[in-house]
Amino acid sequence: MTTRRQNIESELRVLQEAVASAVHELSQPLNVVNLLADNALEDVANLQAAGTADAIVLSGLRRRVESIVEQAGKASDITRWVRAFAVSLDESAAEFDPAAVVERVAGIFANDLRVAGFKLIVDCPANTQSVSGNEALFGFALTESILWLSHAMPQQASGDALDEVAVRRILVQCREDRSRDAMIVTISGDVEAAHGAVGGSRGRSGMQREEDVAAALPLLMRAGRAPGCSVGVSSSENGIQLRVVLPLVGVTFKSEAL
C-alpha cells in the first residue's frame, strides 16, 4: 500500500467519524423538535375537541405545526442519508422501499440541480412493493448516477431562460416487472452532446461505451453485485439510460453484472 493511499484512507476514516458525530448531534435537536411538535398537535386536538378556543386560529396553528413536522421529517431524511456515508457499505441484502429512497435523494438534490439548469423528474408510483437489497448502497448509487448525468450532459449557455424548453431533464423511474419478479429503477438523460463526459470516449455511432460508464460509476456497479441485483446501461445517439434491477421481497435471481 502506497503512502498516498494510506493518507487517503486515513483522511476518509476521519471524515466518516466526523460525519457520524455531526449527524448524531444534529439528530438530537431534530428529535426534540418532533417531540414538541407532536405535543403541540395533541394540545391543538384537545382544544378543538373541547371547543374552548377560536376554531380558525386553531386550524391555522395546526397547519403551521404540521408544516414544522414535515420540514423536520425532511431534515431527518437527510441525516439518515448522510449517516449512511459513515458506515461501511457492503452488498448485504435487506428489505426496503426503493421509491422512498428515490424521493429522499430527489429531495436533497432537486433544488441544486434546478439552479444548475436541470429538472429532476421522479416517476415512482406510491405503494410500490418492497425489494431486497442494500438501501444505503442503492441510495449512493442513485446519487452517483444522477450527479454523473448532470456533469455529462451539455452545459447550458449563459443567460438561457430556465423554462420548460431550455431546462435539461433527468428522469428517474420505478417500474415493477412481474415477468422477472423485480423492480427496475432507471435513471436517464440526454448526454449525447456531452462536453468532456467521464471516460471521454465513445463507441461506434457516437454511443457512450459501456466500459466508460462502468468506470465512471463504481458505486452503481457495486450495487449490481448485491445478492440478486444487476445493473446495466443502454446508450444511443439520443441519450443514455442507467438501469438498476432489484428483486422483489422473497425473490432471488442470478446477478447479471455489466
Side-chain angles (χ1 to χ4, degrees), residues 104-172:
R104 185 184 309 150
V105 171
I108 294 172
F109 293 101
N111 187 60
D112 285 344
L113 288 171
R114 182 189 61 79
V115 172
F118 294 91
K119 185 173 184 179
L120 180 58
I121 303 170
V122 171
D123 180 16
C124 292
N127 302 317
T128 55
Q129 185 172 337
S130 295
V131 301
S132 178
N134 186 291
E135 181 176 355
L137 183 54
F138 171 70
F140 280 112
L142 178 65
T143 302
E144 177 185 59
S145 300
I146 291 173
L147 296 180
W148 178 79
L149 282 172
S150 71
H151 288 95
M153 292 169 69
Q155 297 298 310
Q156 184 168 288
S158 177
D160 284 352
L162 296 182
D163 55 26
E164 289 299 312
V165 176
V167 171
R168 297 156 294 170
R169 293 169 175 80
I170 296 175
L171 174 63
V172 182

Side-chain angles (χ1 to χ4, degrees), residues 79-91:
T79 60
R80 283 192 292 272
W81 183 87
V82 174
R83 185 183 292 116
F85 170 77
V87 301
S88 176
L89 292 176
D90 55 30
E91 286 78 44

Side-chain angles (χ1 to χ4, degrees), residues 176-219:
E176 289 186 16
D177 185 345
R178 288 296 177 177
S179 66
R180 301 177 62 179
D181 287 324
M183 178 74 68
I184 300 179
V185 181
T186 58
I187 312 102
S188 56
D190 182 8
V191 299
E192 175 56 28
H195 299 291
V198 177
S201 58
R202 294 178 180 273
R204 296 178 182 177
S205 301
M207 293 188 294
Q208 185 80 33
R209 298 195 313 179
E210 291 185 2
E211 57 265 35
D212 292 337
V213 177
L217 301 171
L219 290 176

Side-chain angles (χ1 to χ4, degrees), residues 10-46:
S10 178
E11 291 171 359
L12 182 58
R13 284 195 298 271
V14 170
L15 179 59
Q16 287 176 319
E17 292 178 7
V19 168
S21 297
V23 168
H24 176 74
E25 292 302 316
L26 180 60
S27 295
Q28 302 310 307
L30 281 175
N31 291 336
V32 173
V33 169
N34 282 318
L35 177 61
L36 293 176
D38 287 341
N39 291 340
L41 286 175
E42 184 177 351
D43 291 341
V44 170
N46 291 335

